[in-house]
Amino acid sequence: MEMDATVLADALTRLKRAHGQLGGVISMMENAEDCEKVLTQLAAVSKAIDRAGFKIISTGLEQCHSARERGEKPPITPERLEKLFLSLS
């Protein structure tokens, strides 16, 4: 499945935000900041990455559905999408 940057702009934005948050978590750990604050930020990073992954999966589902409606072969099988989806959970 090819990824279209315009369609996946939301996922890319989430990943960029997570990238920045992860840098913050690393700095917090290097500065021996409060464990609770570090874990709260780490959870936010994890959630942002998960949401980006789910956005990519939903885009794949949309592409498969559109291809079927046009009578074309989907770019990825439903079974493969399911496996990818489950790998995120």
Side-chain angles (χ1 to χ4, degrees):
M1 178 178 80
E2 291 184 30
M3 296 198 309
D4 180 348
T6 57
V7 174
L8 294 173
D10 182 53
L12 186 57
T13 299
R14 291 177 189 276
L15 289 173
K16 287 179 179 180
R17 186 177 306 129
H19 183 264
Q21 288 174 313
L22 184 56
V25 169
I26 291 168
S27 293
M28 292 171 74
M29 292 179 72
E30 290 173 341
N31 296 324
E33 291 195 30
D34 179 65
C35 179
E36 186 176 343
K37 290 179 182 177
V38 170
L39 290 174
T40 299
Q41 288 303 309
L42 193 57
V45 171
S46 179
K47 189 169 188 167
I49 292 170
D50 288 345
R51 286 180 176 257
F54 291 132
K55 179 64 178 179
I56 293 168
I57 294 291
S58 72
T59 300
L61 287 170
E62 290 172 8
Q63 288 179 355
C64 288
H65 180 71
S66 295
R68 283 203 174 112
E69 283 187 339
R70 293 188 305 269
E72 300 171 359
K73 181 181 176 187
I76 189 169
T77 65
E79 295 80 17
R80 182 68 183 141
L81 270 175
E82 180 183 10
K83 186 174 182 176
L84 291 169
F85 175 80
L86 292 173
S87 73
L88 294 173
S89 60

